[in-house]
Amino acid sequence: MAIDMRQFHQTFFEESLEGLAGMETELLHLEKAANDSGQENVQADPEILNTIFRGAHSIKGGSSTFGFNEVAAFAHVLESRLDALREGKILPNRQVIGLLLLAVDCLRNLILSAKTGQAVDKPSIEAVYTHLERLENENAESTVINNSSTVVAPPKSSSWRIVFQPQRRLFHTGNDPARVLRELAALGSLKVQLNAADLPAWEQMNPEECYLAWDLELTGNVTRDMIQEVFEWVINDSRLEITPNLPHAARVETIAAKEAAIVDAHNGSIRVSIPKVDALINMVGELVITQSMLSQLAAQFTLENLPKLFIGLAQLERNTRELQESVMRIRMLPLSFAFNRFPRMVRDMSEKLGKQVELYISGEQTELDKTVIERINDPLVHLVRNCLDHGIESPAERIAAGKSAVGKIELKAYQKGGNVVIEIRDDGHGLQHERIFAKAVERGLINPEAKLSPEEIAEIIFLPGFSTAETVSDISGRGVGMDIVRNNIRGLGGNVEIASHSGTGICFTVRLPLTLAILDGLSVLIGSHTYILPLVSIVESVRVRPELISRPAGGGELFSLRKEYLPFIRLHKLFGIEPRSPDLNQGLLVVVEADGKKAGLYVDDLLGQQQVVIKSLETHYRKVDGISAATILGDGTVAMILDVAGLIRMAHTGGVRFIMEDRHHMPVTVNAASAPNLN
Amino acid sequence: MHTAPVLHHRTLSSHEEQFLTFRLDGQEYGIAILKVQEIKGWDKITPIPNSPAYMRGVLNLRGVIVPIIDLRLRFGLSEAKRDAFTVIIVVNIGGRLAGIVVDSVSDVINVTAEQHCAAPEYEGQQNREFISGLAQIDDKLLILLDIDRLVYPETLDEVEAAAPIAAMQ
């Protein structure tokens, strides 16, 4: 009968969280505007205020519709404060905005708790709530503006648990339990649970007796008296228990929310902009036209029509490719989803650390696969925290170093080839090589006699168990960070690099693949098997001249390419496959680059360029060294996709060492020494 | 494609289990029928580099990449010539698919609790951990396999490590 509201909960949660993120951003704008003007008593930009107000208003509306009363009550008081701000009764100074930001946090916690069923930190939320309630009065006292409006108290919503068990002779007195329930339902939202335990077998039942009992849950702006009034006529004929149901939001919604959370984990939804959907519809329309054109052509085919057929097929190919691209684009979200939280984080943290930091964000419109965005979030947070905590100096230090007291952190995203690059740059003191070295020696991560280049020292910070922070703060410095950051980013098929300029700052460069599902590849022949090489990692391909191959002592082969020496990797050897021809002249060398390292892969032949759909090998098997995934070729057979970075690593660790790759020796020795720390 | 052996339609008592039986180097083996997803003819298999010899490679099963294990090589038997009877039994173990190559499939039989007995210990036995029991059916010995352990990737690694010993014997 009633509509199951739970089906809309997911949308409500998503929209509310989005709305909160928007409110947060606007509040920070407000604060910045207030700071920039330098005056305490400045009126806020009404446009910004309206945006924030709308956010709070729709959360309030939605939450009361869906019965999240705690959220609604909180949103209500926040909304009324925003209204006062809009009317100029409160001024947007730093304290007020700080409080409003806290309120946004509380609201987010409440919504998340309704969503996941986890308990909220009640005292802290109540503290913010009381502060908010008092805000207007305090503010009114300190300012000259006349406060004529009365503070609207939020409806103190309450919840009651009622056990209603009428005696059997209830009907004899002319009473009807249904009427009672209807009246209760009029007071608020009513949950009815029938208790039919006393119902006798059919043959023993007396139709004039009431065997049923009810467990009721009434939520709304109701007092005990109001409930008792409803039961007034039946109270003598029944057992009645009315108990307040205190932590109602936490309890009532727990089950529903848990279900929602479980569903969420499995099929998270995605909000797609309408232009993307329209583009998709157009594309499908074109595809249908092409298809009908082709079938018409086939129905009355003559040889003269052959060129037409080819044109049609070319069109079909283009349509299919475009359709595939648009479908892929649906999964793409702008990076602003990941970047939006940083202004707030930087603000709170710099306050905590007593530093002055300004955050510049650019390229947040760059789009990335949804999965990548979700999983890049934590690594990015960690990198920005590192800049804040370790990179930027305190204002005094900065002035002493001749820099402006306000530090600068820059987040920049852009697309480059098949990759999205995210740069996190600060203008702090850069890596302090001596300190890192000393710390690494102290932790037993490296040998004190080791001579390390600056790049090698930079690598140390990616080792497990390394941290130079003097004190372990809750911001960073537990030494569990950078290695996990690197592993997470590598897990996404990307990599992170670090560039430090002593005294002027540090720059982390994170490179990520655009999407995880499709890959531009070059198919190559190794023996009689086809393998796919990711196009992004290919530099060039050259003919092999055996005289250019040298074999330095200690194993391995080097190929000299225009005065550059590359490791020469025979894929046949690595994979145990018989080459098509033992003559090196018959094959080709594909020069690849990954993680900043180049290598030459020797293959039998190049077959062609194509887009392939990535299929994980791990779903039904496991990870295979040197192979990143598999794909299905046009003829239905499976081809392996080569993991270029993995192959280069394999060539290194497989007893093969290359003199030119000096840098690579270091992590090997260091890892061996630090192995016990891993456990 | 092979037609599946005729099923004996009679109700199973609670002590009975159904097994798909197949032949490998003259010996009959059985695997629990509920683990079997389908039986498939030989198809083109793409080898996986750096994997044990019994790991034949992977197969495209309607868009799903399925690893294929040659049971003869897995048990250290000699490699057989592929013929019209060679089939791949696709098993589904907790959502993970794997194909096993066998000489031929024979039948679907019911094994009662009385027929079922534990495998005795005997000398020179290498693959005992994969045998869940034995059954005596019409004077013939049927070896019942624990297919979970046989195709589970983690045990594949164990066997990989043990393979040289098996090869020496």
Side-chain angles (χ1 to χ4, degrees), chain A residues 158-162 216-220 222-224 227 242-245:
Chain A
S158 52
S159 171
W160 301 91
R161 187 170 283 275
I162 306 159
L216 306 168
E217 236 177 76
L218 180 64
T219 313
V222 198
T223 61
R224 185 186 288 266
I227 299 172
I242 304 174
T243 46
N245 191 12

Short mmCIF file of all heavy atoms in Angstrom, two decimals, chain A residues 158-162 216-220 222-224 227 242-245:
data_model
loop_
_atom_site.label_atom_id
_atom_site.label_comp_id
_atom_site.label_asym_id
_atom_site.label_seq_id
_atom_site.Cartn_x
_atom_site.Cartn_y
_atom_site.Cartn_z
N SER A 158 10.18 13.35 18.99
CA SER A 158 10.39 12.28 19.95
C SER A 158 9.82 11.00 19.40
O SER A 158 9.04 11.00 18.45
CB SER A 158 9.71 12.64 21.27
OG SER A 158 8.37 12.99 20.99
N SER A 159 10.23 9.92 19.99
CA SER A 159 9.77 8.64 19.50
C SER A 159 9.30 7.80 20.68
O SER A 159 9.91 7.83 21.75
CB SER A 159 10.93 7.96 18.78
OG SER A 159 10.60 6.65 18.49
N TRP A 160 8.23 7.09 20.48
CA TRP A 160 7.65 6.30 21.56
C TRP A 160 7.46 4.87 21.11
O TRP A 160 7.12 4.60 19.97
CB TRP A 160 6.30 6.88 21.98
CG TRP A 160 6.37 8.30 22.45
CD1 TRP A 160 6.23 9.41 21.69
CD2 TRP A 160 6.63 8.74 23.78
NE1 TRP A 160 6.38 10.53 22.46
CE2 TRP A 160 6.62 10.16 23.76
CE3 TRP A 160 6.87 8.10 25.00
CZ2 TRP A 160 6.85 10.93 24.89
CZ3 TRP A 160 7.08 8.86 26.13
CH2 TRP A 160 7.08 10.27 26.07
N ARG A 161 7.67 3.98 22.05
CA ARG A 161 7.42 2.57 21.79
C ARG A 161 6.18 2.20 22.59
O ARG A 161 6.15 2.42 23.80
CB ARG A 161 8.64 1.76 22.25
CG ARG A 161 8.58 0.32 21.90
CD ARG A 161 9.93 -0.30 22.19
NE ARG A 161 10.89 0.04 21.15
CZ ARG A 161 11.00 -0.65 20.01
NH1 ARG A 161 10.24 -1.69 19.80
NH2 ARG A 161 11.88 -0.30 19.12
N ILE A 162 5.18 1.70 21.93
CA ILE A 162 3.91 1.42 22.60
C ILE A 162 3.58 -0.05 22.40
O ILE A 162 3.62 -0.56 21.28
CB ILE A 162 2.78 2.28 21.99
CG1 ILE A 162 3.17 3.76 22.03
CG2 ILE A 162 1.47 2.04 22.72
CD1 ILE A 162 2.42 4.61 21.04
N LEU A 216 3.90 -0.93 18.67
CA LEU A 216 3.84 0.28 17.85
C LEU A 216 5.07 1.14 18.09
O LEU A 216 5.64 1.15 19.18
CB LEU A 216 2.59 1.09 18.20
CG LEU A 216 1.28 0.31 18.13
CD1 LEU A 216 0.17 1.12 18.78
CD2 LEU A 216 0.95 0.02 16.69
N GLU A 217 5.42 1.88 17.08
CA GLU A 217 6.50 2.84 17.23
C GLU A 217 6.03 4.14 16.62
O GLU A 217 5.75 4.20 15.42
CB GLU A 217 7.74 2.35 16.49
CG GLU A 217 8.94 2.27 17.39
CD GLU A 217 10.11 1.72 16.63
OE1 GLU A 217 10.68 2.48 15.85
OE2 GLU A 217 10.42 0.55 16.82
N LEU A 218 5.91 5.14 17.45
CA LEU A 218 5.37 6.41 16.96
C LEU A 218 6.47 7.45 17.02
O LEU A 218 7.08 7.67 18.07
CB LEU A 218 4.19 6.82 17.85
CG LEU A 218 3.50 8.14 17.49
CD1 LEU A 218 2.86 8.04 16.12
CD2 LEU A 218 2.45 8.48 18.53
N THR A 219 6.72 8.10 15.92
CA THR A 219 7.74 9.13 15.88
C THR A 219 7.10 10.43 15.42
O THR A 219 6.35 10.44 14.46
CB THR A 219 8.86 8.74 14.90
OG1 THR A 219 9.21 7.40 15.16
CG2 THR A 219 10.08 9.61 15.09
N GLY A 220 7.42 11.48 16.10
CA GLY A 220 6.85 12.77 15.72
C GLY A 220 6.86 13.70 16.89
O GLY A 220 7.41 13.41 17.95
N VAL A 222 5.26 14.48 19.51
CA VAL A 222 4.17 13.91 20.31
C VAL A 222 4.58 13.86 21.78
O VAL A 222 5.74 13.59 22.09
CB VAL A 222 3.86 12.47 19.85
CG1 VAL A 222 2.50 12.04 20.35
CG2 VAL A 222 3.94 12.36 18.35
N THR A 223 3.64 14.09 22.67
CA THR A 223 3.91 13.91 24.09
C THR A 223 3.19 12.67 24.58
O THR A 223 2.30 12.14 23.90
CB THR A 223 3.42 15.13 24.89
OG1 THR A 223 2.01 15.21 24.70
CG2 THR A 223 4.07 16.41 24.43
N ARG A 224 3.55 12.23 25.77
CA ARG A 224 2.92 11.04 26.35
C ARG A 224 1.42 11.25 26.55
O ARG A 224 0.61 10.37 26.28
CB ARG A 224 3.58 10.72 27.70
CG ARG A 224 3.08 9.42 28.31
CD ARG A 224 3.65 9.25 29.69
NE ARG A 224 5.07 8.92 29.67
CZ ARG A 224 5.53 7.67 29.70
NH1 ARG A 224 4.69 6.67 29.76
NH2 ARG A 224 6.80 7.44 29.68
N ILE A 227 -0.63 10.61 23.52
CA ILE A 227 -0.81 9.19 23.22
C ILE A 227 -1.87 8.60 24.14
O ILE A 227 -2.77 7.86 23.71
CB ILE A 227 0.52 8.43 23.37
CG1 ILE A 227 1.53 9.00 22.38
CG2 ILE A 227 0.33 6.95 23.14
CD1 ILE A 227 2.92 8.48 22.56
N ILE A 242 3.64 2.48 27.43
CA ILE A 242 4.19 3.54 26.57
C ILE A 242 5.58 3.88 27.09
O ILE A 242 5.75 4.30 28.23
CB ILE A 242 3.30 4.80 26.61
CG1 ILE A 242 1.87 4.44 26.22
CG2 ILE A 242 3.86 5.86 25.68
CD1 ILE A 242 0.89 5.56 26.37
N THR A 243 6.58 3.64 26.28
CA THR A 243 7.95 3.95 26.72
C THR A 243 8.61 4.84 25.69
O THR A 243 8.44 4.65 24.49
CB THR A 243 8.79 2.67 26.87
OG1 THR A 243 8.56 1.86 25.72
CG2 THR A 243 8.42 1.89 28.12
N PRO A 244 9.36 5.83 26.18
CA PRO A 244 10.07 6.67 25.22
C PRO A 244 11.16 5.85 24.51
O PRO A 244 11.82 5.01 25.14
CB PRO A 244 10.68 7.78 26.07
CG PRO A 244 10.59 7.33 27.46
CD PRO A 244 9.58 6.24 27.57
N ASN A 245 11.32 6.11 23.25
CA ASN A 245 12.24 5.35 22.43
C ASN A 245 13.38 6.29 22.08
O ASN A 245 13.36 6.96 21.07
CB ASN A 245 11.48 4.91 21.18
CG ASN A 245 12.25 3.90 20.39
OD1 ASN A 245 13.24 3.37 20.86
ND2 ASN A 245 11.80 3.65 19.17
#
